[in-house]
Amino acid sequence: MTPLIPFTARKYSNMVATIGFFDGVHLGHRCLIEQVINEARQCDMGAFIVTFSNHPRTVVKSGYQPKLLTTVPEKTELLRATSADACVILQFTPELAALTAKQFMEQILYREYGVKKIVVGYDHRFGSDKLSGLTHYQRIGRESGIEVLPAKKCVMGDFTVSSSFVRRLLEEGNVEQAEKCLGRSYELSGIVVEGHRVGRNIGFPTANLQPFSKEKLIPGCGVYAVEAMIDGRTYGAMLNIGRRPTLKNGENISVEAHIFDFNGNLYGESLSLRFRYRLRNERQFESLEKLQMQLGCDSLLARQLLSSV
């Protein structure tokens, strides 16, 4: 049995649960979890989240390589902030994937964790038998001693919030809309590594970020206004993601931040970037002088935008 991760001091023998990968813990996820919490409080039960350390598709689909919105530690802390009472992070294995919905309900939810009710997302499916609707889950739930409740959709404007939708926004560089769906700015963390030092020579030294997680999604190529977190302090910065065509960087994607009003050596240090605005597409310039002029304009605009946050 995988141990629970307690989020509160409350102790319950019976649980109201929901199940999902919860990548990003976006507003749609939080809407679902809020329904679980409300149901649990009404029934004097614990609010319980069941999630996974690895994306289920990496097991059921050979060669699948996810681009994730959150690492496991990030996801855990975001789930902790929802006011749920506990979560469990299961390793999704071929053995777990082989369980039918009824087996998963009885063997995992009911017997191991004392789940008496589950709130099922409107489009969520679990179990190897891939049941086709809520009524099927409710039927096997009754057989397993678990009441199955439908969740409400979380709709923003004319679209439904989902992890795949947020990924698409970030891949397009639309970090402002992604922030609205996530309920917070998207973040990318890593270690600062040695770069080409070209930026220093033209007055815009950069910190080259190597993300901690190879699975973490890097937003689309372009120039961004970001906030850089270093040793508990936040600095404004402008960020270039791309192939550096002016410098003939080939096909390699680099993540380079010019941090405003910072003097220091960051090599080997941790750096987190919080995406706030997209400034422009990446493009090739005729010379380093013209690139330098554009960077001056980018810097001014980024400072102006960040000063209004």
Side-chain angles (χ1 to χ4, degrees), residues 59-178:
V59 174
V60 300
K61 185 178 179 181
S62 177
Y64 178 74
Q65 296 182 334
K67 290 295 183 183
L68 301 181
L69 303 174
T70 42
T71 62
V72 173
E74 289 170 343
K75 180 167 67 173
T76 304
E77 290 311 303
L78 289 166
L79 291 175
R80 186 188 303 276
T82 64
S83 298
D85 294 306
C87 86
V88 65
I89 302 176
L90 302 174
Q91 176 74 18
F92 198 85
T93 62
E95 293 75 21
L96 191 61
L99 295 178
T100 65
K102 185 174 183 179
Q103 289 171 332
F104 184 77
M105 282 189 189
E106 290 181 347
Q107 297 175 23
I108 307 296
L109 299 183
Y110 187 83
R111 294 177 190 170
E112 293 193 6
Y113 298 108
V115 173
K116 297 297 188 291
K117 296 186 179 188
I118 57 172
V119 181
V120 177
Y122 76 96
D123 62 347
H124 184 64
R125 302 288 181 269
F126 63 89
S128 60
D129 43 348
K130 298 178 181 178
L131 299 180
S132 59
L134 178 68
T135 55
H136 292 87
Y137 287 105
Q138 289 176 324
R139 175 179 55 78
I140 64 171
R142 286 191 294 270
E143 296 170 358
S144 306
I146 297 175
E147 182 181 0
V148 179
L149 304 170
K152 301 172 185 175
K153 272 189 182 183
C154 179
V155 178
M156 293 180 60
D158 57 354
F159 59 85
T160 300
V161 181
S162 69
S163 298
S164 59
F165 182 66
V166 176
R167 290 188 198 103
R168 187 163 70 249
L169 289 172
L170 290 170
E171 287 167 351
E172 294 169 354
N174 192 346
V175 295
E176 295 95 332
Q177 188 64 47

Side-chain angles (χ1 to χ4, degrees), residues 20-31 33 51-52 55 67-82 161-167 170 178-187 215-217:
F21 188 60
F22 296 110
D23 187 28
V25 194
H26 53 64
L27 293 184
H29 293 143
R30 280 184 266 174
C31 179
I33 294 168
T51 190
F52 305 97
H55 200 294
K67 290 295 183 183
L68 301 181
L69 303 174
T70 42
T71 62
V72 173
E74 289 170 343
K75 180 167 67 173
T76 304
E77 290 311 303
L78 289 166
L79 291 175
R80 186 188 303 276
T82 64
V161 181
S162 69
S163 298
S164 59
F165 182 66
V166 176
R167 290 188 198 103
L170 290 170
E179 179 175 334
K180 292 178 182 177
C181 294
L182 289 169
R184 67 183 186 284
S185 301
Y186 184 68
E187 291 190 18
E215 293 184 334
K216 188 79 184 275
L217 185 148

